[in-house]
C-alpha cells in the first residue's frame, strides 16, 4: 500500500469562498481519485485526476465547481469553489496502481487506498 | 434500485461474537469486491479484496462472494471492541468503485 496524506484535515469556511485540498502520496501512482462522503451516504466519486491532462468528472460534477490539478504522479489538489452549506462533507482522495521496484512495475492494481479525508463545514 | 445495497445498522454485538456483514448488488459487470473499515473521523482502510466467487480468509476476517446470487459477505470471528467501526462494501469495474452506504458495527466489552 501507500501512505497518503491530505491537507487540511478539516476546515470551516464561509459561504461563497473556495477551499483547495491537497493530496500527497509517498509513492508514484498511476491513478488518483477524489470522492465525497456526505453524512449517511455512500462515498461518491467526483472525478479521476489525470496526470498531465484534464480530470475526468462523474455525472453531476463539473470542472467549474471542482477544479482538479495533478501536476505529477504523487500529488493532486481538489478545489471546492463558491461554497454553499450543501458542500459540507468529507472529501477523500484515493490512489490505485502503485509503482514499485526499479523496473517501474505497478503493484496493487484494481484496489484503491484512501487518504484520511478532509472534513469541510460551510457556514 | 441502487447498484449496491447495504444495511446501515447499527449492528450491536457482544465481544467474542461472530459478525456477519452483507451487501447485495445488481450490476453483473462488477469484477472486484472489497471491504473497507472506517473508524470515526478517519479514511476508509482496505480490509479484504477478492475477485472470484468463494471464500477468502485473513486472520479473523473472511470475505465471501457469491456471484450467482450477487451477494457478498464479511465475517468477523471473535469480534473485539476495536472492531467497532463502519464497514463499507465496494465493487469495481474498469477502475470505478461503487460503494455501499456502510454498516456501523458496535462491539461491546
Amino acid at each position: 500500500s501507500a501512505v497518503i496524506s491530505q491537507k487540511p484535515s478539516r476546515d470551516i469556511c464561509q459561504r461563497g469562498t473556495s477551499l483547495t485540498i491537497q493530496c500527497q502520496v509517498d509513492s508514484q501512482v498511476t491513478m488518483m481519485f477524489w470522492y465525497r462522503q456526505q453524512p449517511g451516504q455512500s462515498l461518491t466519486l467526483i472525478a479521476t485526476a489525470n496526470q498531465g491532462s484534464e480530470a475526468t468528472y462523474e455525472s453531476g460534477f463539473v470542472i467549474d465547481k471542482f477544479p482538479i490539478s495533478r501536476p505529477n504522479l504523487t500529488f493532486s489538489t481538489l478545489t471546492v469553489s463558491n461554497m454553499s452549506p450543501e458542500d459540507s462533507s468529507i472529501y477523500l482522495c484515493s490512489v490505485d496502481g502503485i509503482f514499485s521496484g526499479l523496473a517501474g512495475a505497478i503493484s496493487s492494481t484494481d484496489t484503491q487506498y484512501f487518504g484520511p479525508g478532509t472534513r469541510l463545514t460551510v457556514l | 434500485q441502487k447498484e449496491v445495497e447495504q444495511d446501515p445498522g447499527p449492528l450491536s454485538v457482544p465481544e467474542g461474537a461472530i459478525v456477519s456483514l452483507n451487501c447485495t448488488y445488481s450490476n453483473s459487470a462488477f469484477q472486484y469486491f472489497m471491504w473497507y473499515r472506517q473508524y470515526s473521523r478517519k479514511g476508509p482502510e482496505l480490509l479484504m479484496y477478492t475477485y472470484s466467487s468463494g471464500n477468502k480468509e485473513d486472520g479473523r476476517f473472511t470475505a465471501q462472494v457469491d456471484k450467482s446470487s450477487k451477494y457478498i459477505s464479511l465475517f468477523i470471528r471473535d469480534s473485539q471492541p476495536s472492531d467497532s467501526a463502519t464497514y463499507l462494501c465496494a465493487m469495481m469495474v474498469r477502475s470505478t468503485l461503487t460503494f455501499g452506504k456502510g454498516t456501523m458495527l458496535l462491539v461491546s466489552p
Side-chain angles (χ1 to χ4, degrees), chain A residues 10 31 33 35 37 40 42-43 92 110-116 119, chain B residues 32 34 36 38 41-44 46 49 88 92 95 97 99-101:
Chain A
R10 61 175 59 212
M31 305 191 76
F33 306 89
Y35 286 83
Q37 186 176 30
S42 308
L43 272 75
L92 295 148
D110 298 317
T111 58
Q112 289 186 23
Y113 297 92
F114 283 81
R119 184 177 294 268
Chain B
Y32 304 97
M34 298 158 207
Y36 287 84
Q38 187 173 24
R41 301 181 183 276
K42 301 287 186 183
L46 181 64
Y49 159 80
L88 303 157
M92 181 182 282
S95 296
L97 266 181
F99 282 86
K101 286 190 176 183

Side-chain angles (χ1 to χ4, degrees), chain A:
Chain A
S1 63
V3 177
I4 305 165
S5 60
Q6 284 185 236
K7 289 182 182 180
S9 58
R10 61 175 59 212
D11 208 342
I12 301 173
C13 301
Q14 295 297 320
R15 180 195 298 262
T17 62
S18 297
L19 176 72
T20 295
I21 302 168
Q22 299 179 359
C23 179
Q24 179 74 55
V25 193
D26 70 342
S27 305
Q28 292 184 328
V29 296
T30 57
M31 305 191 76
M32 298 183 76
F33 306 89
W34 287 99
Y35 286 83
R36 181 172 70 184
Q37 186 176 30
Q38 295 180 307
Q41 301 299 315
S42 308
L43 272 75
T44 302
L45 180 63
I46 296 172
T48 302
N50 301 310
Q51 195 256 331
S53 65
E54 197 170 281
T56 305
Y57 289 84
E58 297 300 306
S59 175
F61 298 96
V62 295
I63 187 172
D64 290 346
K65 177 66 176 176
F66 296 102
I68 287 171
S69 78
R70 189 173 171 197
N72 56 49
L73 294 176
T74 64
F75 185 79
S76 177
T77 67
L78 168 75
T79 299
V80 186
S81 303
N82 188 25
M83 289 184 285
S84 67
E86 292 71 35
D87 294 319
S88 297
S89 186
I90 299 172
Y91 292 86
L92 295 148
C93 72
S94 73
V95 305
D96 191 1
I98 301 168
F99 285 95
S100 63
L102 294 174
I106 299 174
S107 64
S108 303
T109 56
D110 298 317
T111 58
Q112 289 186 23
Y113 297 92
F114 283 81
T118 295
R119 184 177 294 268
L120 172 61
T121 302
V122 184
L123 302 178

Side-chain angles (χ1 to χ4, degrees), chain B:
Chain B
Q1 180 189 12
K2 293 187 184 300
E3 278 195 296
V4 180
E5 300 275 5
Q6 184 177 12
D7 186 335
L11 175 62
S12 296
V13 301
E15 182 175 356
I18 296 174
V19 174
S20 173
L21 303 166
N22 310 296
C23 287
T24 59
Y25 63 96
S26 57
N27 186 354
S28 57
F30 285 133
Q31 299 170 298
Y32 304 97
F33 304 88
M34 298 158 207
W35 285 95
Y36 287 84
R37 177 175 61 194
Q38 187 173 24
Y39 290 112
S40 180
R41 301 181 183 276
K42 301 287 186 183
E45 169 195 8
L46 181 64
L47 268 183
M48 300 286 287
Y49 159 80
T50 186
Y51 57 88
S52 59
S53 285
N55 295 348
K56 181 177 181 179
E57 190 173 315
D58 184 1
R60 296 185 296 114
F61 299 91
T62 300
Q64 186 176 79
V65 175
D66 183 345
K67 289 188 177 181
S68 63
S69 300
K70 298 190 179 67
Y71 189 90
I72 70 169
S73 299
L74 178 70
F75 298 97
I76 306 174
R77 291 183 298 280
D78 187 24
S79 57
Q80 303 294 311
S82 58
D83 294 328
S84 297
T86 296
Y87 290 79
L88 303 157
C89 64
M91 304 172 192
M92 181 182 282
V93 59
R94 293 188 301 275
S95 296
T96 297
L97 266 181
T98 302
F99 282 86
K101 286 190 176 183
T103 299
M104 181 183 291
L105 172 66
L106 303 171
V107 182
S108 55

